[in-house]
Each structure stands twice: as C-alpha cells, then as structure tokens.
Amino acid sequence: MSLNYILRAKKFKAKKSLGQNFLIDENVISFIANNAKKDDEILEIGPGLGFVTEQLIENTSKVVALEIDKDAINILNKNLKNKENFCLIEQDILKTDINSLPFTKDKIKVIANIPYYITSPILVHLLGEIDELTHKNRDRISEIILMVQLEVAKRIIANENSNNKEYGQLSILSQMYCDTEIIKIVPKNCFMPSPKVDSALVKFTINREPKVKITKLLKRTVKAIFMARRKNVKNSLLNAGFVNVEKALEKANIDKTARGENLSIGQIQKLSIALEEFN
Ligand code: SAM
C-alpha cells in the first residue's frame, strides 16, 4: 500500500452512496495505467481522487474523465488543471454518448473503477443489447478495463462449462461482441474504504462482429432460458410464452430436460432459429 494514497484517501470523506472505494495500492494502480499505451485516448469513468488518472495522463495522449461528485471534481481540478491532455467533465456516464466527448481517434479505450451497483447498467450502456448489431458507444470502443466484484467477474467470463451457476445473461451480454478475461484479482484491502468482497479487473476486447449470427428471437430466447434457472429449457420457454417448444428443441437437437446453463451460445442461437420457425 502506498502511504501517499492512504493519506490522500483518508483526508476525503468517501460517499457510500456514490460507491466510493478508492484504490490505494500502487501496484494495482500502475497495473491499470500500464494497460494503456502512449497514443491511446482514454475515457476514465469515475476518476475519484485521481490516483489512476494521474498515471494515465503520463502514459497516454488523452484522458477524458467523467465524474459526478463535486468534492472529487474540486480536488481533481486543483491537482490536474494544468495538464493539457486531461479533460474533466461533470457528467453521469449513464447519460453520456461517447461520441459527444472530445476525442479525436476513431477508437478509444475505457478504464473504469466504478460503483458496483451500476455494473450491469454501465455494461449495457457501453456494449448495447445483444441484438444491436451496431451501437453508438460500443462502435467507438476498442477495449474496456473494468473493475468489478470478483463474483461478477466470474459471471462475465463464464460459459456452459463453468460451475456454480455463474453462466447467464450477463455472460452472454458480455461475450456477444467481446473477448473477456480476468486480468487481475484485486483483494479488498487494496481499497479505502475497504469493500466487503474482493474485486477483479476484467478486460473486454471488442470485436466488430457478434459471436453468433443474431436472429430475431435470440434476445427473447436468452432471457427465457436464464430467467428461471432451476427449470429445464422446455418449461422455461413455455413459461415465456413460446409454443411448439418440443418441436423446436428437437429441431435444434437439444434435450428437453437440459437446463439453460448447460447450453452454449451456439446452441442457444440454433434454438432461437428453430423457435422462430414454429412460433
Ligand atoms: N477511480 C477511483 C479509484 O480507483 O480510486 C475512484 C473509484 S470509486 C469506486 C467510483 C467513482 O465513480 C467515484 O469517484 C464516484 O463518485 C464516481 N461515480 C459514481 N457514479 C458515477 C456515474 N454515474 N458517472 C460517473 N462517475 C460516477
């Protein structure tokens, strides 16, 4: 832990309501900042007291940071106002169109140690829904480095072979247009104040094409089969209002007693095509 960061974090009254857990471990801070390269343009979501921001400014060509806490903004303005490649905007990420920000490059990288209670809304805001072949924010991003609770990180990277019910809608949303990997586990004592659980950094590398060809019923199928995790696929689909479910399962070559959590993205897509034929 770095004394410098600890002292600066201690001076600030962290707001629980804004999910303020500041990183105080210099190795983790450098690890995040070193993911960015000299000519990268970075969107940092929630810079807080600026510990990661300061290194990003040194490492990259441009940092645009979005923060909603006025007290943090005052500190950032005081410490970083002379930095020419830094632009601080008082704005909620969930209300921000990335194309409206002062970037010059076609593709930017996002770095975000965000409040955990908005993890899913932020992901949907950045990546779009699974059936949106183009999405204004996703189309502008090449990579996202996101700090999330470790449990959520496992759900993001999970597939049909994972354990413990980790695989679900969040996995499909995250992986439909991205390659995802956990690049670092971050213990809770690396933050001040310390959260209740450990965290992890997840890297999303964004691809232009979706993992599988998007079909009309894909989103509805995904929702249906993961909604009631304990039910088999047949009952989940019937509950969601699909008809001729047995026929569709047979056509997609899926056992009607299988559970959604055992189906790969490819199988789910085949099932959605079959459902489309019979519904
Ligand atoms: N990046 C800093 C760090 O690593 O120490 C701070 C991380 S803290 C977990 C999350 C930050 O996001 C806080 O500074 C908080 O004020 C800010 N924040 C919360 N909601 C936000 C939102 N909707 N848009 C932008 N920033 C937000």
Side-chain angles (χ1 to χ4, degrees):
M1 299 309 131
S2 152
L3 190 59
N4 168 27
Y5 294 134
I6 293 175
L7 291 176
R8 287 165 70 190
K10 260 190 178 163
K11 262 201 228 160
F12 188 85
K13 194 164 174 349
K15 299 177 185 71
K16 220 176 176 178
S17 62
L18 292 178
Q20 289 181 339
N21 302 96
F22 301 109
L23 269 172
I24 49 164
D25 185 296
E26 69 269 37
N27 293 324
V28 178
I29 291 170
S30 298
F31 180 87
I32 297 174
N34 288 339
N35 259 284
K37 309 270 171 319
K38 195 74 217 153
D39 61 349
D40 283 341
E41 292 190 341
I42 305 288
L43 167 61
E44 191 190 7
I45 305 172
L49 301 178
F51 303 159
V52 180
T53 326
E54 288 162 7
Q55 287 200 25
L56 286 173
I57 290 171
E58 297 307 316
N59 287 6
T60 66
S61 64
K62 179 157 211 157
V63 180
V64 176
L66 298 183
E67 176 60 66
I68 54 171
D69 179 19
K70 287 207 160 46
D71 296 325
I73 288 171
N74 286 339
I75 291 174
L76 290 162
N77 272 332
K78 201 170 103 207
N79 293 343
L80 299 172
K81 68 166 181 278
N82 297 324
K83 303 286 181 183
E84 273 173 15
N85 61 340
F86 178 59
C87 172
L88 177 62
I89 302 177
E90 181 177 348
Q91 200 162 296
D92 183 339
I93 175 59
L94 297 175
K95 294 182 183 146
T96 301
D97 173 356
I98 293 179
N99 293 298
S100 70
L101 300 175
F103 290 114
T104 55
K105 292 193 147 217
D106 283 350
K107 296 280 183 186
I108 59 137
K109 289 186 180 174
V110 176
I111 288 185
N113 174 12
I114 47 149
Y116 293 146
Y117 55 80
I118 50 170
T119 301
S120 290
I122 286 188
L123 274 177
V124 174
H125 186 69
L126 296 179
L127 298 179
E129 298 286 352
I130 62 170
D131 55 356
E132 286 183 89
L133 274 172
T134 64
H135 181 264
K136 59 185 185 346
N137 285 335
R138 186 207 317 134
D139 292 347
R140 197 72 199 273
I141 304 171
S142 62
E143 184 182 293
I144 304 171
I145 306 283
L146 188 68
M147 182 82 80
V148 293
Q149 290 181 355
L150 181 55
E151 288 315 307
V152 176
K154 289 181 185 165
R155 284 169 46 208
I156 287 171
I157 66 158
N159 59 31
E160 69 279 12
N161 301 315
S162 303
N163 295 325
N164 298 330
K165 322 264 178 254
E166 285 159 355
Y167 178 52
Q169 285 191 74
L170 186 62
S171 327
I172 308 255
L173 168 75
S174 303
Q175 293 169 42
M176 188 55 80
Y177 296 89
C178 306
D179 296 325
T180 57
E181 69 176 306
I182 293 180
I183 54 171
K184 197 172 188 59
I185 309 278
V186 184
K188 51 190 172 205
N189 65 356
C190 294
F191 299 87
M192 182 177 269
S194 171
K196 287 201 176 71
V197 291
D198 291 336
S199 298
L201 283 165
V202 182
K203 180 169 170 174
F204 296 73
T205 308
I206 297 184
N207 303 314
R208 268 169 56 113
E209 300 297 328
K211 269 289 129 72
V212 293
K213 197 164 176 288
I214 302 295
T215 59
K216 235 171 48 197
L217 288 182
L218 186 61
K219 190 173 153 198
R220 211 179 128 202
T221 309
V222 168
K223 204 168 164 199
I225 66 174
F226 288 116
M227 200 70 146
R229 309 190 61 97
R230 307 191 77 60
K231 288 202 168 69
N232 60 44
V233 192
K234 182 186 149 194
N235 287 339
S236 302
L237 293 169
L238 288 172
N239 270 5
F242 286 104
V243 294
N244 295 317
V245 167
E246 281 203 31
K247 266 195 206 165
L249 283 165
E250 201 175 319
K251 176 117 199 212
N253 210 6
I254 294 170
D255 185 339
K256 61 185 176 195
T257 62
R259 289 183 177 182
E261 64 210 25
N262 306 124
L263 303 183
S264 67
I265 295 185
Q267 285 176 302
I268 296 171
Q269 183 224 26
K270 270 197 196 138
L271 179 57
S272 74
I273 295 171
L275 286 167
E276 206 169 309
E277 193 178 319
F278 299 120
N279 275 266

